[in-house]
Amino acid sequence: MSERTPNGLSIRAAELDAADDLRKLRERFLLPEGVVYLDGNSLGALSAGVPDRVADVVGREWGELLIRSWDESGWWTAPQRIGDRIAPLVGAAPGRIVVGDSTSVNLFKALVGAARLVAARGDAGRDELLVDATTFPTDGYIAASAARMTGLKVVPVEPAALPAALGPRTAVVLMNHVDYRSGRLHDLPGLTAAAHAAGALTVWDLCHSAGALPVGLDAHRVDLAVGCTYKYLNGGPGSPAYLYIAERHQAAFDSPLPGWNSHAEPFAMAPGYVPADGALRGRVGTPDILSMLALEAALDVWDGVPVEAVRAKSLALTDFFLECVEVYVPAGRVESVTPVAHAERGSQVALRAEGAAELMKELIARGVIGDFRHPDVLRFGFTPLYVGFADVERAARTLGDISGHVSG
């Protein structure tokens, strides 16, 4: 029997699941029965340990211990403690990541902080902020505001054209590690090295890569990075983001949002601001304890899980999905805009299709949850911790079943 038939693909999916060393990790999540969830690149699934942890935080730590929990329950140290748990997932040493605020707020801190680091070197000729032209819109909005504050000029640049755009006027470069629409993985090591060779600093947005593939922040000498925690890290809706500050920049990092939580003596209530040492100067105000401790519990699912194994399964899942789509979906009905090459692919597949919005509505109605991106993209995110190969085969088969029945 040919493997490239519906029956053959179904058998292969079962064989791949049986051989999957990560398959038991699905037990660490609470997923609805009968649902194939391929939208973890927007909101990760609920980790099994989170409900009880949140109930304890609310009922005991807040309800009984009250304000004592800042000390007795470790609330005060949560931003750096949880940052140290995220660190190995993005290739960072302890003490370089602080958790809190949103991705947008952290991006603002990082961009202004990077511009101030460049200015402190006395390199007055650097007046350009190069921004990934394909970036998530909010990143562009924040970059424009940061540029107005620091006297820089925003220069949109396609990622492939970045090396040629770098020059003596480049101060800071903002790039996305993985493009949120297409799933294209950009060359973090190469582009960081090119920016440094030109005398610029880098800020990387890791929202669509952290928890899906190795990043190597320290190894590749990234200057600053930000990311959310509610996608592949499964921290929950609106869970706090994080800020990475390379150790070599921490002593000079000048945050545009100094708050009492990042003061060297936060309870002294001094009128003058003196920043704390290390990445803690990335803190601002009182942390969001409920969502932060839910995130901490969610990170338990990563215990004993090497991100390299997650990457290997991610590539296998996306390869298999593309193969199944080719077999199940009528020719010409969809077109993949996600790169085939592993070195250029994140952990999602984006398919362009006429009538994409209606196709996705029907997929969701049939228990296959992905998402739609205007104007014509079906986007499927593959979280290897809980997505299996049978899920992939079912999703492609369902898409093939309905794609000839939903008009463009």
Side-chain angles (χ1 to χ4, degrees), residues 348-372:
Q348 71 179 56
V349 171
L351 303 175
R352 181 173 289 125
E354 291 188 28
E358 292 304 313
L359 279 170
M360 185 53 68
K361 287 179 182 178
E362 185 61 24
L363 279 168
I364 292 172
R366 298 192 188 196
V368 176
I369 301 177
D371 66 17
F372 163 71

Side-chain angles (χ1 to χ4, degrees), residues 381-395:
F382 298 82
T383 303
L385 300 184
Y386 54 76
V387 173
F389 292 91
D391 296 324
V392 166
E393 188 271 339
R394 177 184 159 191

Side-chain angles (χ1 to χ4, degrees), residues 199-239:
L201 298 185
T202 58
V203 177
W204 283 90
D205 183 328
L206 308 179
C207 285
H208 286 269
S209 59
L213 52 91
V215 178
L217 292 178
D218 285 351
H220 302 306
R221 292 186 60 78
V222 167
D223 300 295
L224 298 133
V226 301
C228 65
T229 61
Y230 47 78
K231 300 182 189 297
Y232 296 108
L233 297 181
N234 310 297
S239 56

Side-chain angles (χ1 to χ4, degrees), residues 24-403:
K24 289 188 176 180
L25 296 178
R26 189 183 182 109
E27 299 171 0
R28 301 182 184 182
F29 294 88
L30 301 176
L31 286 159
E33 192 69 31
V35 167
V36 174
Y37 190 60
L38 300 181
D39 206 10
N41 52 332
S42 285
L43 175 65
L46 174 63
S47 302
V50 170
D52 287 347
R53 177 63 180 124
V54 171
D56 184 61
V57 172
V58 172
R60 183 181 63 86
E61 294 185 3
W62 178 16
E64 297 177 13
L65 296 178
L66 297 166
I67 201 167
R68 289 181 294 162
S69 277
W70 285 105
D71 292 321
E72 295 180 23
S73 301
W75 289 1
W76 182 259
T77 59
Q80 57 265 40
R81 183 178 72 241
I82 300 171
D84 286 347
R85 294 195 65 183
I86 292 172
L89 300 178
V90 293
R96 298 177 188 180
I97 291 179
V98 65
V99 173
D101 305 311
S102 67
T103 306
S104 300
V105 171
N106 282 315
L107 181 61
F108 181 73
K109 298 176 204 171
L111 288 174
V112 174
R116 289 176 173 175
L117 286 169
V118 172
R121 299 189 317 213
D123 202 347
R126 296 188 180 274
D127 61 355
E128 292 183 345
L129 168 55
L130 273 53
V131 176
D132 181 350
T134 63
T135 191
F136 188 73
T138 298
D139 282 18
Y141 308 154
I142 296 293
S145 178
R148 290 193 299 271
M149 172 178 280
T150 58
L152 299 181
K153 174 187 177 183
V154 171
V155 180
V157 179
E158 292 288 333
L162 178 62
L166 292 163
R169 296 182 60 183
T170 309
V172 180
V173 176
L174 169 61
M175 289 290 298
N176 289 268
H177 196 191
V178 174
D179 184 272
Y180 78 100
R181 284 167 297 199
S182 69
R184 177 178 292 276
L185 172 64
H186 295 131
D187 181 10
L188 181 147
L191 294 178
T192 298
H196 288 170
L201 298 185
T202 58
V203 177
W204 283 90
D205 183 328
L206 308 179
C207 285
H208 286 269
S209 59
L213 52 91
V215 178
L217 292 178
D218 285 351
H220 302 306
R221 292 186 60 78
V222 167
D223 300 295
L224 298 133
V226 301
C228 65
T229 61
Y230 47 78
K231 300 182 189 297
Y232 296 108
L233 297 181
N234 310 297
S239 56
Y242 56 90
L243 169 66
Y244 165 88
I245 308 172
E247 185 178 36
R248 64 188 179 278
H249 294 312
Q250 289 179 359
F253 182 76
D254 181 9
S255 173
L257 297 173
W260 77 282
N261 258 235
S262 62
H263 197 285
E265 297 184 64
F267 293 98
M269 302 300 168
Y273 179 74
V274 178
D277 292 333
L280 291 183
R281 61 182 57 198
R283 292 177 66 157
V284 185
T286 305
D288 300 322
I289 289 299
L290 297 183
S291 58
M292 189 166 291
L293 297 185
L295 165 62
E296 185 173 33
L299 291 172
D300 287 346
V301 303
W302 286 95
D303 289 348
V305 181
V307 72
E308 293 78 12
V310 171
R311 174 60 169 166
K313 183 178 176 182
S314 163
L315 291 172
L317 288 168
T318 49
D319 280 343
F320 188 55
F321 180 69
L322 288 168
E323 182 181 354
C324 290
V325 167
E326 185 178 348
V327 172
Y328 285 124
V329 179
R333 188 67 178 90
V334 299
E335 172 194 2
S336 177
V337 296
T338 301
V340 173
H342 286 183
E344 299 177 359
R345 187 194 310 164
S347 198
Q348 71 179 56
V349 171
L351 303 175
R352 181 173 289 125
E354 291 188 28
E358 292 304 313
L359 279 170
M360 185 53 68
K361 287 179 182 178
E362 185 61 24
L363 279 168
I364 292 172
R366 298 192 188 196
V368 176
I369 301 177
D371 66 17
F372 163 71
R373 283 294 177 266
H374 183 82
D376 58 359
V377 171
L378 302 167
R379 200 176 66 153
F380 302 94
F382 298 82
T383 303
L385 300 184
Y386 54 76
V387 173
F389 292 91
D391 296 324
V392 166
E393 188 271 339
R394 177 184 159 191
R397 177 164 34 88
T398 305
L399 177 60
D401 185 51
I402 67 175
S403 59

